[in-house]
Amino acid sequence: MDLKILSLATDKTTDKLQEFLQTLKTDDLTDLLQSQAVKGRAVGAFLRAIFKGSPCSEEDGALRRSQVYSCCIQLIESGELQQEVASAIIGLLMLEVHHLPGPWLVELASEFVSAIREDRLVNGKSLELLPVILTALATKKEVLTCGKGDLNGEEYKRQLIDSLCSVRWAQRYVIQLTSMFKDVHLTTEEMDLVVAKVLAMFPKLNLQEIPPLVYQLLVLSSKGSRRRVLHGIIAFFSELDKQHSEEQSGDELSELVAAPADELYHVEGTIILHIVFAIKLDCELGRELLKHVKAGQQGDSSKSLYPFSIALLLSLTRMQRFEEQVFDLLKTSVVKSFKDLQLLQGSRFLQTLVPQRTCVSSMILEVVKNSVHSWDHVTQGLIELGFILMDSYGPKKTLDGKAVETGSSLSKMTNQHACKLGANILLETFKIHEMIRQEILEQVLNRVVTRTSSPINHFLDLLSDIVTYAPLILQSCSKVTETFDCLSFLPLQTVQGLLKAVQPLLKVSMSVRDSLILVLRKAMFASQLEARKSAVAGFLLLLKNFKVLGSLSSSQCSQSIGVTQVQVDVHSRYNAVANETFCLEIIDSLRRCLGQQADVRLLLYEGFYDVLRRNSQLASSIMQTLFSQLKLFYEPEPDLLPPLKLGACVLTQGSQIFLQEPLDHLLSCVHHCLAWYKNRVIPLQQGDEGEEEEGLCRELDDMLESITVRMIKSELEDFELDKSADFSQSTSVGIKNHICACLIMGVCEVLIEYNFSISNFSKSKFEEILSLFMCYKKFSDILNEKAGKGKTKMTSRTNDSLLSMKFVSDLLTALFRDSIQSHEESLSVLRSSNEFMHYAVNVALQKVQQLIRRGHVSGPDGQNPDRIFQNLCDITRVLLWRYTSIPTSVEESGRKEKGKSISLLCLEGLQKTFSAVQQFYQPRIQQFLRALDVTSTEEEGEEAGVTVTQRATFQIRQFQRSLLNLLSSEEEDFNSKEALLLIAILSTLSRLLEPSSAQMLSWTSKICKEYSLEDASFCKSLMSLFFSLHVLHKSPVTLLRDLSQDIHGQLGDIDQVDIEIEKTNHFAVVNLRTAAPTVCLLVLSQAEKVLEEVDWLIAKIKGSVNQETLSAEVTPEAASSQAVPSSPLMEKAIIMQLGTLVTFFHELVQTALPSGSCVDTLLKDLSKIYSTLTAFVKYCLQVCQSSRGIPNTVEKLVKLSGSHLTPLCYSFISYVQNKRNNNPKRTEKEKAAAGTIMAKVLRETKPIPNLVFAIEQYEKFLIHLSKKSKVNLMQHMKLSTSRDFKIKGNILDMVLREDEEDESEEGSVLGLFEARSNISSLNPFKLQVYVK
């Protein structure tokens, strides 16, 4: 039968074939078809024959075709056919679809929808036919009758797609169904339906099924709905990231989370690759992605950026078209995130309104961590982002070799955080990805070498972290040795930082170490001084960090090793014997430096002590070197005065004088090395070697003793210096004398410390110390006297005191705290000299200032943070005891000397030490405060339970008592300097308190309310402290309102004739002397901060509205299912803040403020509040279209601003202008500066037009809001003055005539401008016309 059909099909006519097919029953035909298909025998020819004998023009033929289609679809879905046969059948069916009549197409499509709804599809192969059916159906123009009415083909296709998207899709066919739609022409509405359906299937699928589905969806997006597709994909994976992070931070078992996490990150990586590939083919998709992220950034960036979206953006940077845009976007997001975080942390008001969210920086670091899961496409973007952040936000300027940040404290902190984030990104990426380690290291080293004029500390810190993490890996890196070749051309600080950073690498790589030594040896003989200094610094670092056999271990040393002096103990290939030979060679090289310039020698003397401490086996060589050098400048004759050859220390070259030998530093190095040597090395020596070493020590002791005795005996004339000598810096003799005087002062300081260290509290030694100090003081007084007379002030020698910080600590303890009976007599010698005690405290203060300025101090242990911290604790404890035991008032009552008292110096020292500890030792605050509590008898367990807040509160109360005592004294006894220092200390300590602690705030408030002092600087400090505490508990707007009333009451009203003010007295600190400009400028500054917070809140809620609008556009179903609440809590808070600020400004604009900064600042701040009010009105315009309209409180705010502020602003402007016009006549001298004064007048009057414009902008948008909200908000606003600043010819002529007569007045320029108040007289040439 099948053969007959095939034979009939070969005839030219189809009549016989049609007749034969009509004779066959439907079941016979389907059986034949099934048999042919299963056997796979020429099923294509058989189907073509049936279609040939079944023309669609006849009803029977169309019915037969429909039955064949149904049978074939069942066969294909049965899974019994071979793959090739099924494909051949589908191909034939596709070719014949367009011949089917519309009703049969409808029936076939409906069968597909029913099969999908009822999940009757077996393998889904037949779905390839559905897009062809839908396309064919769309071409049918005739009306098709269906259950819901008569529709044409296109309309019925739309209904079928709607039905298809409304039914449940089986999980296994989602990808095929999505792929099917890409072959169907879809309208925008149909596309939105399909995309929404596919996105809704995401949560129902397994993770592994999502990447192919996303690929099909991206292909489909080329038809449209790109933003919706991207939004859906990003939102889904962002939610998964969020859930995963919550699980990790929760108490769930991490093992249960780990497995799905790996799978999730692999899937995300694949999807990111799909999206990037799609963007390469369709750039519009990339533009939509950037638009989507930027739109999300308008509100809360942490809501729009998640690890997945950040990784996607970083992958996009591989395309040059989007690279710059993406990095700018990420930079902006990072900075905005840090700024928001800083703003939130500094304001309790904002914290109560805005929940703390995850910072973008933590999400970027999460991307770094996730990139281990084969995210190779992300790593390059991460590296570039890290370097961009470090380059853009690293320190910009240098001052005295130290990086200095410019700008406000908020921007400074933001830049520091952004730079630190960049370093963390690079370090973590370096740890995870081996392939890109070389690139990161090369880029870091390139920046270290090339950026000689800008600070590179942040790159050196990063390099140190990298080398510390992987010294063994980097030993084969050639870039490090290439960098060494540039050492001679780099600044000394850069060389020191670089060598410290790579020091662990030197421990494990002989080749790297040899390369460095070769470079340093060459640099030792370079012509440039900086190169030789770099060589000395490098050699000293090597000596410090290569152990010699028999050297004392770190635990035996008198101090711990500094953080920067990392020691890697993995260098098994290097033995200590080889190190000793190596180190002795270096010392031989360094001996040659003793004949070079003073700067080179100075480096050597400052470094020898650390070398000795780290390598005690080198002690003999170092001590011998120092001994030989000292002998060159020592006079051996016991009666010869002075004992040192000062002339040999100064070099004369023509007319120029130079310091050749820093003798004071040499002597200091000898003293410290000798002390350590005697205490640590000599006791361990045995036999002949020990005797030889002891002999050297005795010789040095004898020399120092002889120098001490003879220095005391020496008079000014013995040094060829006296009060009549020339010390000016303009003559060679003066320069030489100045150098010699400084050397003598340094020598005296070193001898004071040496004799104290060996004194064992001997009275004779202390008398010698005092005599040495008097010698020091003679030269100090001469230099200060000459500096005072000279035109340029010379640097005081005490700024670079050679006393070590440890000695200063011990000396202060002995002077002020030592109560041992046996020491009493000897200490009384030093205590009898008030000048000596004054000097000791002064040096302590200078050491702390040095720490704050440089981050380290000069002298031994000066770069050891642990030792510095211990010394700080000791110094602070002594200074605190001295100040609290002998108050300034007691000490100054009997003082006759000029200058600061010891108690005041102690207080200044306390202020500096508290600041230094907070700056450098924040994690050790608890230990520091515990060290100050000398009276504590707590056990160790009890001490652990005492919090930082409790300890800080104890210290605060001491200083509060001191300030109260000061305030309670007579006004003529009030010490302003002491009060300012006490406020500064209280301010520093208050930062250690918990935010909930209110004692400090209530105490400060009480002081402000009860004490009235006319000291402006004290008032400023006190009020600044008050505000800083207040903002941590609540918003200061009510406080500002009260203060404005006090200022108004003290200064009077601008209309003094008609208005009598009732004085308020909320705060006694506001009086006639302090009200303006001190308090006035402070409250205005605080008002600016409040306005900044309100602006930030308005931007946030506007961004939320924009995001809701965007979400509604992208996913209207989700948006309609949720209420669209705005932020009523935030709105209410904004209105309350603005309302209170309006009352605050209402008081100030009526106040008779003095001309100058107060008036200018007030005018600028008035412009700001109107700008903020305008921004809020614009927000109301956005939301008033919703059903809820505008809140009633908005109308109240507008009414308040219209009645209490705007009219008074114009009165205040007139007051300011009249006041400036009525200035008295100037003197002849002032007339000569007419041009300058005119420029000043123009500058001072600039805020007035800005204010008027801000008011008019506010009124303009109020008109728009009134129209949209159907509420007449303008009824509360009086008709504003129109100010067109038109030039009036008659006044111009008058002013010009006055200029010719040299009678111009400061206020005359203001006459050029007139504010015209009649709105009807406006002409077309005026700047702005507002129709009310």
Side-chain angles (χ1 to χ4, degrees):
M1 193 179 296
D2 53 346
L3 293 175
K4 186 173 182 180
I5 292 173
L6 289 171
S7 64
L8 289 173
T10 57
D11 295 345
K12 291 183 179 180
T13 61
T14 58
D15 296 341
K16 291 182 179 180
L17 180 59
Q18 289 180 37
E19 289 175 6
F20 181 74
L21 288 173
Q22 285 175 356
T23 60
L24 288 175
K25 294 182 180 179
T26 304
D27 293 341
D28 294 338
L29 186 62
T30 54
D31 290 343
L32 276 175
L33 182 59
Q34 186 173 353
S35 173
Q36 289 285 337
V38 170
K39 292 176 183 178
R41 295 177 184 173
V43 67
F46 186 68
L47 271 175
R48 278 192 289 272
I50 294 175
F51 287 143
K52 188 175 181 179
S54 307
C56 292
S57 55
E58 298 179 5
E59 188 176 345
D60 290 343
L63 178 61
R64 193 178 306 115
R65 279 186 176 233
S66 175
Q67 291 168 347
V68 167
Y69 266 84
S70 297
C71 177
C72 287
I73 289 169
Q74 290 174 7
L75 280 172
I76 291 165
E77 284 300 318
S78 67
E80 297 174 359
L81 304 182
Q82 296 176 10
Q83 187 72 23
E84 297 81 5
V85 175
S87 297
I89 292 174
I90 285 176
L92 277 171
L93 295 180
M94 284 180 178
L95 290 172
E96 297 295 328
V97 163
H98 289 279
H99 300 298
L100 285 172
W104 297 114
L105 287 173
V106 169
E107 186 177 334
L108 276 175
S110 300
E111 282 184 18
F112 269 108
V113 173
S114 299
I116 292 167
R117 180 191 295 114
E118 297 164 11
D119 194 13
R120 286 190 276 110
L121 297 176
V122 178
N123 57 22
K125 181 74 175 173
S126 62
L127 285 174
E128 295 177 25
L129 195 58
L130 183 55
V132 187
I133 294 172
L134 291 174
T135 304
L137 187 60
T139 61
K140 303 298 179 183
K141 304 298 181 186
E142 71 268 23
V143 175
L144 303 172
T145 304
C146 63
K148 293 183 180 180
D150 296 337
L151 306 170
N152 61 26
E154 182 65 38
E155 292 168 343
Y156 201 83
K157 185 199 81 169
R158 168 77 172 84
Q159 190 183 73
L160 280 171
I161 290 175
D162 197 356
S163 302
L164 199 56
C165 291
S166 61
V167 302
R168 190 179 70 84
W169 291 2
Q171 185 176 326
R172 60 186 182 279
Y173 300 129
V174 174
I175 296 170
Q176 288 168 289
L177 284 167
T178 306
S179 176
M180 176 266 295
F181 280 111
K182 72 175 183 288
D183 298 322
V184 181
H185 175 72
L186 299 172
T187 63
T188 304
E189 292 80 7
E190 292 166 353
M191 187 70 190
D192 289 344
L193 276 173
V194 172
V195 169
K197 177 64 179 177
V198 176
L199 291 174
M201 293 302 298
F202 273 25
K204 301 174 184 177
L205 299 177
N206 295 326
L207 273 177
Q208 296 298 337
E209 295 175 315
I210 293 180
L213 177 59
V214 167
Y215 177 80
Q216 296 299 336
L217 194 57
L218 290 168
V219 174
L220 185 62
S221 71
S222 60
K223 295 174 175 289
S225 292
R226 293 179 180 84
R227 182 175 289 193
R228 184 183 284 249
V229 168
L230 287 170
H231 176 80
I233 295 170
I234 291 172
F236 175 73
F237 282 101
S238 296
E239 186 60 31
L240 282 183
D241 284 341
K242 185 179 174 183
Q243 290 174 5
H244 176 65
S245 63
E246 287 173 357
E247 286 173 355
Q248 279 190 323
S249 60
D251 296 327
E252 289 83 5
L253 292 174
S254 58
E255 291 80 5
L256 300 177
V257 179
D262 292 343
E263 184 184 2
L264 170 64
Y265 298 140
H266 280 295
V267 166
E268 286 183 346
T270 307
I271 285 170
I272 289 170
L273 282 174
H274 285 330
I275 295 176
V276 171
F277 180 72
I279 290 173
K280 286 179 181 177
L281 300 177
D282 180 11
C283 288
E284 188 59 36
L285 194 64
R287 284 190 280 272
E288 286 295 338
L289 173 62
L290 290 177
K291 284 180 188 175
H292 167 75
V293 178
K294 285 178 182 175
Q297 267 199 324
Q298 292 177 2
D300 191 347
S301 56
S302 62
K303 286 183 178 178
S304 61
L305 285 177
Y306 281 93
F308 176 79
S309 54
I310 292 171
L312 177 56
L313 287 170
L314 288 170
S315 300
L316 203 60
T317 58
R318 299 173 76 182
M319 300 171 64
Q320 191 174 0
R321 179 193 299 263
F322 298 109
E323 182 180 12
E324 188 177 348
Q325 297 178 62
V326 170
F327 282 132
D328 286 344
L329 184 64
L330 288 173
K331 269 175 59 179
T332 307
S333 299
V334 166
V335 172
K336 184 175 182 292
S337 176
F338 282 129
K339 281 183 178 176
D340 291 353
L341 194 63
Q342 291 286 326
L343 206 60
L344 275 171
Q345 288 175 348
S347 172
R348 181 66 181 162
F349 164 69
L350 291 179
Q351 290 170 15
T352 56
L353 292 171
V354 182
Q356 192 80 24
R357 295 196 175 275
T358 308
C359 186
V360 172
S361 60
S362 59
M363 294 182 189
I364 294 176
L365 292 174
E366 186 73 21
V367 172
V368 178
K369 191 173 76 173
N370 297 346
S371 66
V372 72
H373 301 283
S374 305
W375 286 15
D376 297 335
H377 45 280
V378 175
T379 51
Q380 195 61 41
L382 281 170
I383 294 171
E384 290 183 46
L385 177 62
F387 280 113
I388 285 172
L389 290 174
M390 292 190 76
D391 292 337
S392 302
Y393 302 111
K396 302 298 180 193
K397 294 185 177 181
T398 53
L399 184 65
D400 296 331
K402 185 187 174 188
V404 174
E405 292 282 2
T406 56
S408 66
S409 58
L410 180 63
S411 63
K412 190 193 303 182
M413 291 295 292
T414 301
N415 289 352
Q416 288 173 355
H417 286 312
C419 180
K420 184 63 178 173
L421 171 63
N424 287 339
I425 291 170
L426 292 170
L427 179 61
E428 295 304 315
T429 308
F430 182 89
K431 290 178 180 179
I432 291 173
H433 299 282
E434 292 184 17
M435 298 297 292
I436 46 82
R437 285 176 177 172
Q438 183 82 7
E439 181 185 350
I440 292 176
L441 187 65
E442 284 187 7
Q443 290 206 43
V444 171
L445 289 172
N446 285 340
R447 283 165 170 79
V448 169
V449 171
T450 57
R451 301 192 177 181
T452 54
S453 59
S454 57
I456 53 166
N457 296 337
H458 48 308
F459 288 113
L460 290 173
D461 292 341
L462 173 60
L463 179 63
S464 178
D465 292 337
I466 286 172
V467 175
T468 304
Y469 175 75
L472 290 169
I473 297 171
L474 298 178
Q475 61 181 321
S476 58
C477 179
S478 61
K479 186 66 182 177
V480 178
T481 53
E482 289 174 20
T483 306
F484 288 159
D485 293 334
C486 305
L487 287 183
S488 301
F489 310 102
L490 297 178
L492 177 62
Q493 281 193 324
T494 302
V495 172
Q496 289 175 322
L498 175 62
L499 294 181
K500 282 180 182 177
V502 300
Q503 187 268 321
L505 181 58
L506 302 176
K507 287 284 189 179
V508 296
S509 173
M510 183 178 285
S511 60
V512 175
R513 191 184 76 175
D514 292 344
S515 300
L516 175 61
I517 292 170
L518 190 61
V519 170
L520 293 178
R521 280 179 175 158
K522 288 179 182 177
M524 185 75 80
F525 301 100
S527 57
Q528 300 91 354
L529 176 62
E530 284 296 313
R532 297 200 298 277
K533 288 166 69 175
S534 297
V536 171
F539 278 136
L540 285 172
L541 190 77
L542 290 173
L543 287 176
K544 290 176 196 174
N545 293 286
F546 282 86
K547 273 283 188 183
V548 176
L549 185 66
S551 290
L552 297 175
S553 66
S554 296
S555 60
Q556 291 175 281
C557 292
S558 59
Q559 55 211 348
S560 59
I561 307 306
V563 171
T564 54
Q565 299 165 345
V566 184
Q567 185 174 0
V568 181
D569 293 318
V570 294
H571 52 292
S572 56
R573 52 198 290 194
Y574 304 122
N575 57 61
V577 176
N579 280 346
E580 182 174 12
T581 307
F582 162 69
C583 290
L584 290 174
E585 285 178 10
I586 292 177
I587 289 180
D588 286 338
S589 298
L590 290 176
R591 281 199 185 103
R592 298 169 192 160
C593 297
L594 295 174
Q596 296 190 10
Q597 285 94 334
D599 287 348
V600 179
R601 301 184 192 190
L602 192 60
L603 274 176
L604 204 55
Y605 298 150
E606 289 176 347
F608 266 155
Y609 176 76
D610 283 334
V611 172
L612 189 68
R613 179 173 54 83
R614 293 299 307 275
N615 267 324
S616 58
Q617 283 298 96
L618 300 175
S620 178
S621 181
I622 291 174
M623 294 303 295
Q624 195 63 50
T625 301
L626 292 173
F627 178 62
S628 302
Q629 187 70 6
L630 183 57
K631 281 173 69 177
L632 296 176
F633 303 95
Y634 174 70
E635 293 284 4
E637 292 296 328
D639 299 326
L640 197 59
L641 299 178
L644 299 168
K645 301 173 184 177
L646 294 176
C649 299
V650 181
L651 176 68
T652 304
Q653 288 183 347
S655 60
Q656 292 184 312
I657 306 293
F658 300 101
L659 175 66
Q660 176 73 10
E661 175 65 45
L663 186 58
D664 47 356
H665 284 85
L666 169 61
L667 209 58
S668 176
C669 181
V670 169
H671 156 56
H672 291 296
C673 290
L674 180 62
W676 192 89
Y677 191 62
K678 287 193 295 186
N679 291 333
R680 298 288 168 179
V681 179
I682 295 296
L684 303 177
Q685 297 287 358
Q686 296 177 355
D688 296 338
E689 184 183 353
E691 290 179 7
E692 184 181 333
E693 303 296 343
E694 285 181 16
L696 177 62
C697 287
R698 277 196 300 272
E699 282 192 63
L700 282 170
D701 274 326
D702 292 342
M703 287 174 71
L704 291 172
E705 184 66 31
S706 176
I707 294 171
T708 300
V709 173
R710 286 189 279 167
M711 282 294 289
I712 293 169
K713 291 179 180 178
S714 299
E715 299 293 335
L716 291 176
E717 291 74 14
D718 295 323
F719 298 107
E720 298 180 4
L721 299 170
D722 55 28
K723 291 186 178 180
S724 61
D726 181 12
F727 288 93
S728 68
Q729 299 293 291
S730 55
T731 64
S732 57
V733 175
I735 294 172
K736 180 180 179 180
N737 290 341
H738 187 272
I739 291 173
C740 289
C742 290
L743 286 177
I744 294 166
M745 291 166 64
V747 168
C748 288
E749 286 191 315
V750 174
L751 293 175
I752 287 172
E753 182 168 350
Y754 167 74
N755 282 281
F756 187 90
S757 65
I758 64 168
S759 67
N760 196 21
F761 289 90
S762 160
K763 183 177 179 181
S764 59
K765 279 293 175 189
F766 281 6
E767 286 171 349
E768 289 181 359
I769 289 172
L770 199 56
S771 300
L772 286 167
F773 170 70
M774 296 314 293
C775 178
Y776 168 90
K777 189 173 182 302
K778 284 178 194 174
F779 287 96
S780 176
D781 290 344
I782 291 174
L783 289 183
N784 289 333
E785 182 184 340
K786 299 290 183 181
K789 291 178 181 177
K791 292 182 180 178
T792 57
K793 191 166 185 177
M794 293 180 285
T795 306
S796 175
R797 187 69 193 88
T798 50
N799 285 339
D800 297 309
S801 174
L802 289 180
L803 300 182
S804 66
M805 199 170 184
K806 177 70 169 67
F807 168 68
V808 173
S809 166
D810 293 342
L811 179 61
L812 288 176
T813 305
L815 288 174
F816 300 133
R817 293 302 314 274
D818 194 328
S819 56
I820 299 173
Q821 190 66 35
S822 58
H823 298 170
E824 191 70 32
E825 184 182 358
S826 55
L827 283 172
S828 64
V829 174
L830 298 179
R831 289 170 180 170
S832 64
S833 173
N834 206 49
E835 290 176 338
F836 183 75
M837 293 197 293
H838 195 283
Y839 160 77
V841 178
N842 222 355
V843 173
L845 178 58
Q846 288 156 9
K847 288 288 179 185
V848 180
Q849 286 174 327
Q850 200 176 65
L851 173 64
I852 293 171
R853 192 171 64 252
R854 303 178 188 172
H856 59 86
V857 295
S858 58
D861 303 328
Q863 300 203 15
N864 184 331
D866 292 333
R867 284 287 168 183
I868 292 175
F869 176 73
Q870 188 58 51
N871 292 333
L872 270 179
C873 291
D874 295 340
I875 289 171
T876 310
R877 184 167 59 244
V878 175
L879 296 180
L880 183 60
W881 183 89
R882 175 63 171 76
Y883 175 74
T884 51
S885 301
I886 308 175
T888 311
S889 56
V890 175
E891 185 178 354
E892 291 195 340
S893 61
R895 271 183 87 238
K896 295 179 182 179
E897 303 91 349
K898 293 181 180 179
K900 297 176 182 175
S901 65
I902 294 176
S903 289
L904 195 59
L905 273 178
C906 288
L907 190 62
E908 190 175 344
L910 287 169
Q911 188 262 320
K912 298 291 183 187
T913 53
F914 285 134
S915 298
V917 170
Q918 281 203 29
Q919 183 178 346
F920 297 103
Y921 300 99
Q922 187 68 36
R924 301 173 75 172
I925 289 285
Q926 173 81 299
Q927 184 182 344
F928 173 73
L929 292 175
R930 189 165 63 240
L932 300 188
D933 191 5
V934 292
T935 59
S936 176
T937 56
E938 298 169 342
E939 297 295 329
E940 190 172 337
E942 293 175 357
E943 284 190 355
V946 182
T947 64
V948 171
T949 295
Q950 290 170 327
R951 294 189 185 279
T953 303
F954 174 76
Q955 299 298 338
I956 283 170
R957 282 179 178 149
Q958 289 193 77
F959 293 109
Q960 285 176 343
R961 281 194 296 271
S962 298
L963 185 58
L964 279 174
N965 293 335
L966 194 62
L967 293 171
S968 303
S969 63
E970 297 295 328
E971 193 159 342
E972 58 271 12
D973 296 333
F974 180 73
N975 190 327
S976 178
K977 291 180 181 177
E978 183 179 4
L980 289 174
L981 288 170
L982 285 168
I983 292 291
I985 291 172
L986 288 170
S987 179
T988 305
L989 289 174
S990 67
R991 299 187 201 115
L992 304 178
L993 300 175
E994 293 173 358
S996 58
S997 176
Q999 184 270 339
M1000 186 72 184
L1001 175 61
S1002 57
W1003 182 86
T1004 312
S1005 175
K1006 183 181 177 185
I1007 295 293
C1008 292
K1009 288 177 179 178
E1010 295 180 2
Y1011 290 92
S1012 176
L1013 287 171
E1014 295 186 352
D1015 189 298
S1017 55
F1018 171 73
C1019 174
K1020 182 177 180 181
S1021 297
L1022 181 64
M1023 292 301 296
S1024 298
L1025 173 62
F1026 188 25
F1027 280 128
S1028 66
L1029 294 168
H1030 201 282
V1031 293
L1032 296 177
H1033 290 81
K1034 56 183 177 180
S1035 176
V1037 284
T1038 53
L1039 177 63
L1040 292 176
R1041 183 189 60 203
D1042 293 345
L1043 284 166
S1044 66
Q1045 291 172 359
D1046 288 350
I1047 294 169
H1048 189 188
Q1050 291 292 337
L1051 298 180
D1053 199 88
I1054 56 176
D1055 189 3
Q1056 296 180 353
V1057 179
D1058 300 332
I1059 297 177
E1060 185 177 344
I1061 311 166
E1062 181 183 348
K1063 282 192 176 183
T1064 58
N1065 192 21
H1066 297 104
F1067 294 93
V1069 75
V1070 182
N1071 52 52
L1072 198 57
R1073 287 289 298 275
T1074 59
T1078 307
V1079 178
C1080 181
L1081 289 177
L1082 275 173
V1083 295
L1084 286 172
S1085 171
Q1086 202 63 36
E1088 285 180 26
K1089 292 178 183 176
V1090 175
L1091 284 172
E1092 184 185 351
E1093 292 176 1
V1094 173
D1095 282 333
W1096 185 80
L1097 274 179
I1098 292 171
K1100 204 164 192 64
I1101 57 176
K1102 281 177 76 174
S1104 299
V1105 171
N1106 290 336
Q1107 282 184 336
E1108 288 168 3
T1109 308
L1110 179 67
S1111 299
E1113 290 174 1
V1114 175
T1115 52
E1117 306 83 10
S1120 60
S1121 65
Q1122 299 173 357
V1124 191
S1126 184
S1127 309
L1129 192 64
M1130 285 191 191
E1131 284 178 8
K1132 183 180 178 183
I1134 289 168
I1135 292 168
M1136 289 294 292
Q1137 294 291 93
L1138 288 174
T1140 315
L1141 280 179
V1142 166
T1143 60
F1144 161 74
F1145 283 112
H1146 165 76
E1147 292 289 341
L1148 287 187
V1149 291
Q1150 297 179 82
T1151 306
L1153 294 173
S1155 297
S1157 56
C1158 289
V1159 170
D1160 294 341
T1161 309
L1162 177 56
L1163 289 170
K1164 289 174 185 174
D1165 287 354
L1166 285 168
S1167 300
K1168 286 180 183 176
I1169 191 174
Y1170 275 107
S1171 299
T1172 305
L1173 285 166
T1174 305
F1176 187 60
V1177 169
K1178 288 179 181 178
Y1179 162 74
C1180 293
L1181 277 168
Q1182 271 187 300
V1183 298
C1184 77
Q1185 295 174 343
S1186 65
S1187 55
R1188 61 191 186 91
I1190 61 170
N1192 293 332
T1193 45
V1194 174
E1195 189 175 354
K1196 291 178 183 177
L1197 176 63
V1198 172
K1199 182 179 179 180
L1200 187 67
S1201 66
S1203 60
H1204 279 61
L1205 193 57
T1206 306
L1208 295 173
C1209 282
Y1210 288 116
S1211 302
F1212 186 70
I1213 290 170
S1214 301
Y1215 163 77
V1216 172
Q1217 290 178 329
N1218 292 334
K1219 193 165 185 179
R1220 284 171 178 162
N1221 281 329
N1222 295 332
N1223 276 344
K1225 295 281 184 181
R1226 293 183 309 232
T1227 63
E1228 291 297 326
K1229 191 174 181 180
E1230 290 171 329
K1231 288 179 182 178
T1236 308
I1237 290 174
M1238 287 177 70
K1240 181 182 177 185
V1241 170
L1242 288 172
R1243 187 175 67 250
E1244 288 180 348
T1245 53
K1246 188 179 178 181
I1248 294 176
N1250 293 341
L1251 172 57
V1252 173
F1253 178 72
I1255 294 172
E1256 292 174 340
Q1257 284 292 102
Y1258 174 52
E1259 293 173 353
K1260 171 185 170 183
F1261 284 98
L1262 275 180
I1263 293 169
H1264 293 324
L1265 184 59
S1266 298
K1267 289 177 180 176
K1268 280 202 172 183
S1269 64
K1270 308 296 189 238
V1271 178
N1272 184 14
L1273 298 172
M1274 292 305 295
Q1275 65 179 330
H1276 311 298
M1277 308 296 291
K1278 293 183 180 179
L1279 198 63
S1280 64
T1281 305
S1282 170
R1283 293 175 174 268
D1284 60 356
F1285 308 104
K1286 183 179 179 181
I1287 296 176
K1288 297 190 74 175
N1290 57 341
I1291 296 179
L1292 178 61
D1293 292 338
M1294 180 183 70
V1295 173
L1296 290 175
R1297 282 197 301 273
E1298 288 177 354
D1299 284 345
E1300 289 171 4
E1301 298 168 2
D1302 291 328
E1303 293 178 0
S1304 64
E1305 296 184 8
E1306 187 177 347
S1308 63
V1309 179
L1310 297 175
L1312 296 173
F1313 307 104
E1314 182 189 19
R1316 303 179 63 176
S1317 56
N1318 188 356
I1319 197 146
S1320 62
S1321 64
L1322 287 170
N1323 58 56
F1325 299 100
K1326 291 181 180 176
L1327 296 177
Q1328 290 177 334
V1329 178
Y1330 293 99
V1331 180
K1332 302 290 193 295

